[in-house]
Amino acid sequence: MTESRKLIDSFGRVHNNLRISVTDRCNIRCFYCMPADNVEFMPRAELLTFEEIERVVRVGTSLGIDRLRLTGGEPLVRRELPSLVARLAEVPGIIDIGLTTNAVLLDELAQPLHDAGLKRLNISLDALDPEVFRKVTRRDSYDKVIAGIDAARRAGFRPIKLNAVSIRGLTEDQIIPFAELARETDTEVRFIEFMPLDADSKWQNDKVLTAASIKKILEDQFGELRPVPKSNPSAPASDFEFADGKGRIGLIASVSEPFCGSCNRFRLTADGKLRNCLFSLEETDIRPLIRESGTDEDIATAMLQCVAAKKAGHQINSSDFVQPDRPMYSIGG
Ligand code: SAM
Ligand code: SF4
């Protein structure tokens, strides 16, 4: 591959990681993502088919994409998802496929997904206390999530990775229990800062439970946290080891300490738009190219242009920040 055929932006960041949203539908209603009710979902005919997604991925591999992550909405509500995983696992050049899920449907799907070639699973769980879980998700699905996590373990996913969005005033008391879980079991836990991507546009900076505050809560309980050197410089999480050497914990400081400078990701929405950043205000619609007479070369050109136009970083901490129209569930987190 020549340099000009790489997905490289004007700041020299090379993109090899494509996040694919397979639906904007979801079976719970996390307040930091979706509205409580009356959600208008994309008409089904607008969703890319599995054939169409595979075509985009094939074109992407010719430009250096080698890692995929399936997301949504809730990806497991998309029918026949394991067959998409199996298709994508067969695409030459793809070395890794991950999935981010709320685990509500994982009890039935963990084994088929593993069999289809899914390598990595990130499970989103913001609270170990069922009542706090209900406040965040506005649904009573806690027991299903726990059953889904058990099924993932049985299916052979190791380690079990949990991602917890942390909200000031709501989830502080979940931090120590999560840390204990990480220390006592084969579970990796990462805390994520609340970002301004909620459908209700109620995000405020003072609701962000920052990575620094989380670290303080952990250190007050367990002693000094020691930074673990990053094995992958593009990984958003900073990992820390506990002072007694037992277990580790990850912090994703998307708001307070942005890691845009090392970002290697871009996104395909379920309705066929390319986005070069979660916070982008522009997107590139490739569905007409896919559905009408566009060639693979046209799709490649659209990808190259989309990545080339990527900004240096998000502006959350600036007074000029504008929240994108699409909330997280519609972008694909
Ligand atoms: N439904 C799946 C799930 O929840 O894992 C996949 C899609 S969800 C949009 C992907 C990730 O984005 C989840 O870990 C979720 O917690 C996170 N997320 C959603 N809205 C967020 C926000 N406003 N700030 C930070 N993380 C958010
Ligand atoms: Fe659904 Fe995931 Fe958004 Fe929660 S974060 S509402 S599980 S898409």
Side-chain angles (χ1 to χ4, degrees):
M1 195 188 329
T2 59
E3 280 298 307
S4 62
R5 298 292 287 176
K6 276 190 182 170
L7 292 161
I8 184 161
D9 68 19
S10 58
F11 302 92
R13 293 170 295 194
V14 178
H15 293 65
N16 67 331
N17 196 316
L18 178 63
R19 300 210 160 203
I20 302 170
S21 174
V22 295
T23 181
D24 61 340
R25 286 164 198 264
C26 189
N27 39 14
I28 58 177
R29 292 287 182 274
C30 306
F31 75 85
Y32 51 69
C33 178
M34 293 189 87
D37 37 42
N38 301 324
V39 191
E40 269 193 37
F41 292 112
M42 296 166 187
R44 278 177 204 278
E46 289 188 7
L47 300 187
L48 296 190
T49 64
F50 289 174
E51 290 77 5
E52 290 169 337
I53 293 173
E54 183 188 334
R55 181 173 172 205
V56 177
V57 168
R58 283 185 186 275
V59 174
T61 57
S62 74
L63 303 172
I65 291 294
D66 58 9
R67 283 158 210 276
L68 306 175
R69 175 162 292 274
L70 303 178
T71 182
E74 172 46 38
L76 303 193
V77 305
R78 178 88 187 240
R79 249 174 285 158
E80 308 292 336
L81 189 72
S83 74
L84 175 65
V85 171
R87 257 172 190 275
L88 298 180
E90 292 288 304
V91 174
I94 294 301
I95 57 173
D96 187 63
I97 304 180
L99 173 87
T100 302
T101 174
N102 63 28
V104 173
L105 296 174
L106 203 52
D107 192 10
E108 302 122 66
L109 284 166
Q111 191 66 55
L113 286 165
H114 195 266
D115 295 347
L118 187 70
K119 301 230 168 90
R120 290 185 302 112
L121 196 59
N122 284 359
I123 296 174
S124 306
L125 175 64
D126 305 325
L128 289 171
D129 174 339
E131 185 50 27
V132 180
F133 174 90
R134 198 186 55 75
K135 277 191 191 150
V136 172
T137 63
R138 305 185 276 208
R139 292 291 184 276
D140 286 317
S141 309
Y142 183 82
D143 291 347
K144 283 190 175 170
V145 172
I146 299 302
I149 295 172
D150 288 345
R153 208 172 257 120
R154 280 197 307 278
F157 288 103
R158 287 289 183 292
I160 297 294
K161 293 191 177 185
L162 298 185
N163 289 343
V165 176
S166 299
I167 317 286
R168 189 174 291 283
L170 185 59
T171 64
E172 283 90 342
D173 62 357
Q174 302 303 299
I175 288 169
I176 301 299
F178 269 125
E180 276 163 354
L181 186 72
R183 285 164 57 76
E184 304 300 334
T185 68
D186 59 349
T187 313
E188 272 182 21
V189 177
R190 303 188 308 180
F191 297 105
I192 307 177
E193 290 179 351
F194 175 23
M195 296 180 280
L197 289 167
D198 54 322
D200 297 333
S201 298
K202 296 232 171 90
W203 180 92
Q204 284 176 336
N205 205 285
D206 61 7
K207 291 189 187 151
V208 180
L209 185 55
T210 60
S213 321
I214 297 170
K215 189 160 175 267
K216 166 117 185 29
I217 294 172
L218 290 167
E219 290 189 325
D220 286 349
Q221 177 78 14
F222 299 106
E224 197 187 345
L225 290 178
R226 285 194 300 256
V228 178
K230 282 194 180 191
S231 53
N232 168 8
S234 298
S238 299
D239 288 335
F240 294 87
E241 267 172 6
F242 291 97
D244 61 3
K246 200 172 156 197
R248 56 173 64 179
I249 206 89
L251 300 175
I252 304 187
S254 337
V255 177
S256 63
E257 294 164 57
F259 34 82
C260 307
S262 58
C263 181
N264 65 350
R265 292 175 290 281
F266 77 118
R267 293 179 154 76
L268 176 66
T269 67
D271 55 349
K273 314 280 197 288
L274 293 174
R275 296 179 61 88
N276 57 26
C277 174
L278 271 177
F279 296 95
S280 178
L281 300 176
E282 287 113 40
E283 41 193 35
T284 306
D285 189 0
I286 57 168
R287 201 179 57 204
L289 293 178
I290 299 170
R291 296 223 166 141
E292 291 156 27
S293 54
T295 62
D296 286 356
E297 189 52 34
D298 295 332
I299 296 171
T301 302
M303 281 186 175
L304 289 161
Q305 285 173 349
C306 176
V307 168
K310 182 158 168 157
K311 301 229 161 79
H314 69 59
Q315 296 296 316
I316 298 176
N317 301 310
S318 119
S319 55
D320 297 339
F321 176 71
V322 178
Q323 182 164 340
D325 289 340
R326 275 189 195 251
M328 189 66 122
Y329 73 95
S330 163
I331 297 173

